[in-house]
Amino acid sequence: MTVDSPLARTPLHAAHVACGARMAPFAGWDMPIQYTSVIGEHLAVRSSAGIFDVSHMGQLRLEGSDAEQALDRVLSNSLARIPDHGMAQYTLLTNDHGGIEDDLIVYRMHDNSFLLVVNAANVEHDLAWITARLESRYDVQVRDESNEWSMMALQGPEALTVLSDVLSISMHDVPPFRHAWHSTGHDELLVCTTGYTGESGCEILMDPAVAEQIWNLLSRDERVTQCGLAARDTLRLEACYPLHGHDITSSTSAIGAGLGWACPAGRTFPGADLLDAERDHGSPRRLVPLLLSDRGIPRAGCEVTSADGVVVGNVTSGTMSPTLRRGIALAWLSASHAHEGTRVHIDVRGNAYDARVVSRPFTRFS
Amino acid sequence: MSEPTYPDELHYHEAHDWALVDGDIATFGITWYAQDSLGDVVFFNPPEVGAVISVGGSYGELESVKAVSDLIAPLSGEVTAVNDEVVTSPELVNENPYGAWLIKIRMSDRAEVDALMDSVRYQQTIHA
């Protein structure tokens, strides 16, 4: 993306603007940040259901008779863990240093066909990264399908009931990270039991031509609140899901980030040897949740110091948790200060606030 | 309050603060426009009572979920009171930005009031 390229618009852009959503640039897209209130939207997802336009997310397709073998040497997680069509998995693109180039969800679609849902800011990077690492001996093609898909997330305790009532799609008994095609009378929808809020619910992939129709049908239900990217960020932070480009980057370790579960030992992917060694010997720095003791809101970039004033790390994401009404953060800390219960200070523009390392997710404290 | 409101009895500063002047005491808050731009206010970091503040300078911070905003003093003086209700419940600023005053000061230069805008003039600046 060049600096002066116009912002991209999702098929729902006009609908967002028409209902007064506050729009702002995000990863090259003009996206709804909030509709009415970040806190209101956040709490609606925790108590009922919220719908998010996430059509900015990218989709890459890998196909070919060797697609699985080829992809299995590029992605950190093991495709053998999702042996059947209709299964999906959280996985990483790692580099030779064990850093994270992107995090994504891979869907096993049908024989020799995989769909990768990647971060909006990384679509072109991921396409180039994967293409460069597919060994020429394999029969596999990779293609950017981002323009062929719209995507929305329906999240919250009522989300799957709404899906069933409004679209007659029953996903109640489906485990997380499963997907299936459903016909609604409008079109075929690819419904996946995934999300980025810590609630139950689904993400729905579809032809952009039907996106507005589906969005309106779901939004019209009184249990559903339209939610912007600001609430998506506070929700994912309460759930302790890292955000690529902020909490996890090409220079942060997947093991230190707590994502070792998505990098099984003994595999062959970029940086696997280093990550296996770090798993055995321990990470020098770790990404941990911090809960503030009282007032104050930590923000990305704030320094974290030990009780005796030594800098031990820094905050990569921070906000006021709408659920807890307390400041929360994800921070990279020296291993010596990353143990649960460790008390630290966060320097917020010159004020030192007490915080402690807690276990994931933050919502367990509500 | 959901509709834009700019009471006539207030004086307005270009940084979207209002001041209510009563004798040598001035009460400060932020305008409807400011709270709407900020979004949900979740934190008020006030000055100490007794602090001396200067017109145009920062006297504290308001934070919404997503952003931090400096509070700009529309007048100079010494802080005589802080609204602890807003410290405890910052969302009051969104509910009623004119009821949810932030601080009171004893003015050091009454002539500064003349430099502030009235409601009509202020509304022209935000719609410009």
Side-chain angles (χ1 to χ4, degrees), chain A residues 230-248:
Chain A
R232 182 170 155 88
D233 192 51
T234 54
L235 287 157
R236 70 93 191 166
L237 191 45
E238 280 187 353
C240 291
Y241 295 147
L243 174 60
H244 191 266
H246 295 260
D247 308 302
I248 53 176

Side-chain angles (χ1 to χ4, degrees), chain B residues 2-70:
Chain B
S2 54
E3 291 301 312
T5 310
Y6 302 98
D8 289 336
E9 65 271 25
L10 303 179
H11 300 276
Y12 296 87
H13 185 269
E14 61 188 10
H16 310 293
D17 305 84
W18 56 259
L20 175 68
V21 175
D22 181 14
D24 62 348
I25 298 295
T27 304
F28 296 169
I30 67 166
T31 65
W32 188 94
Y33 177 88
Q35 66 77 31
D36 185 56
S37 303
L38 266 175
D40 292 323
V41 175
V42 293
F43 187 60
F44 170 36
N45 188 19
E48 302 278 342
V49 170
V52 175
I53 62 177
S54 304
V55 62
S58 168
Y59 70 83
E61 293 163 338
L62 274 186
E63 287 197 61
S64 65
V65 177
K66 290 305 290 177
V68 188
S69 183
D70 274 324

Side-chain angles (χ1 to χ4, degrees), chain A residues 283-288 304 310-314 331-339 342 344 357:
Chain A
S283 300
R285 294 169 75 236
R286 286 170 50 204
L287 182 67
V288 294
V304 180
V310 178
V311 175
V312 294
N314 60 284
W332 279 93
L333 301 185
S334 301
S336 57
H337 289 78
H339 299 289
T342 304
V344 294
V357 179

Side-chain angles (χ1 to χ4, degrees), chain A residues 22 33-34 36-40 229-230 233-234 295-297 299 318-320 322 325 348-349 351 353, chain B residues 35-46 61 63-68 70 87-91:
Chain A
R22 196 161 288 169
I33 301 303
Q34 71 175 60
T36 52
S37 144
V38 180
I39 294 175
L229 293 187
D233 192 51
T234 54
R295 305 168 64 238
I297 304 172
R299 302 290 182 182
T319 193
M320 201 282 306
R325 296 177 62 93
V348 184
R349 295 179 305 282
N351 297 314
Y353 293 104
Chain B
Q35 66 77 31
D36 185 56
S37 303
L38 266 175
D40 292 323
V41 175
V42 293
F43 187 60
F44 170 36
N45 188 19
E61 293 163 338
E63 287 197 61
S64 65
V65 177
K66 290 305 290 177
V68 188
D70 274 324
V87 173
T88 312
S89 303
E91 66 275 12

Side-chain angles (χ1 to χ4, degrees), chain A residues 108-130:
Chain A
R108 186 186 287 272
M109 301 298 281
H110 45 81
D111 285 343
N112 308 321
S113 179
F114 295 86
L115 189 69
L116 276 50
V117 176
V118 307
N119 282 298
N122 296 338
V123 178
E124 289 167 25
H125 169 80
D126 292 356
L127 179 64
W129 179 270
I130 292 169

Side-chain angles (χ1 to χ4, degrees), chain A residues 60-262:
Chain A
L60 304 179
R61 174 84 68 164
L62 275 94
E63 281 178 319
S65 59
D66 298 323
E68 178 159 2
Q69 294 93 312
L71 198 52
D72 210 37
R73 299 174 78 85
V74 179
L75 299 176
S76 70
N77 214 338
S78 168
L79 291 170
R81 287 175 165 179
I82 51 165
D84 300 327
H85 306 159
M87 291 182 162
Q89 149 185 98
Y90 178 82
T91 186
L92 306 173
L93 283 176
T94 49
N95 58 37
D96 291 341
H97 311 290
I100 301 168
E101 296 291 323
D102 200 7
D103 65 339
L104 59 107
I105 294 178
V106 55
Y107 298 88
R108 186 186 287 272
M109 301 298 281
H110 45 81
D111 285 343
N112 308 321
S113 179
F114 295 86
L115 189 69
L116 276 50
V117 176
V118 307
N119 282 298
N122 296 338
V123 178
E124 289 167 25
H125 169 80
D126 292 356
L127 179 64
W129 179 270
I130 292 169
T131 303
R133 281 161 187 77
L134 294 176
E135 295 173 35
S136 57
R137 63 191 162 113
Y138 291 127
D139 169 37
V140 58
Q141 296 82 43
V142 56
R143 198 164 68 85
D144 181 2
E145 291 188 355
S146 301
N147 291 332
E148 297 162 39
W149 297 97
S150 279
M151 184 167 171
M152 54 194 77
L154 184 64
Q155 300 279 298
E158 297 293 326
L160 295 181
T161 304
V162 169
L163 185 76
S164 171
D165 293 351
V166 175
L167 296 176
S168 301
I169 297 173
S170 178
M171 300 289 281
H172 275 295
D173 301 322
V174 178
F177 285 90
R178 293 293 194 278
H179 59 91
W181 285 102
H182 291 272
S183 181
T184 65
H186 301 279
D187 198 21
E188 297 284 311
L189 307 181
L190 181 62
V191 184
C192 319
T193 46
T194 49
Y196 197 45
T197 63
E199 296 295 331
S200 71
C202 60
E203 293 174 302
I204 311 170
L205 287 144
M206 69 200 82
D207 183 336
V210 300
E212 189 164 2
Q213 209 165 7
I214 298 297
W215 174 266
N216 289 338
L217 278 172
L218 292 170
S219 296
R220 216 174 282 150
D221 190 282
E222 62 183 10
R223 291 163 289 187
V224 177
T225 299
Q226 294 178 342
C227 300
L229 293 187
R232 182 170 155 88
D233 192 51
T234 54
L235 287 157
R236 70 93 191 166
L237 191 45
E238 280 187 353
C240 291
Y241 295 147
L243 174 60
H244 191 266
H246 295 260
D247 308 302
I248 53 176
T249 71
S250 58
S251 57
T252 59
S253 152
I255 302 293
L259 300 174
W261 59 272

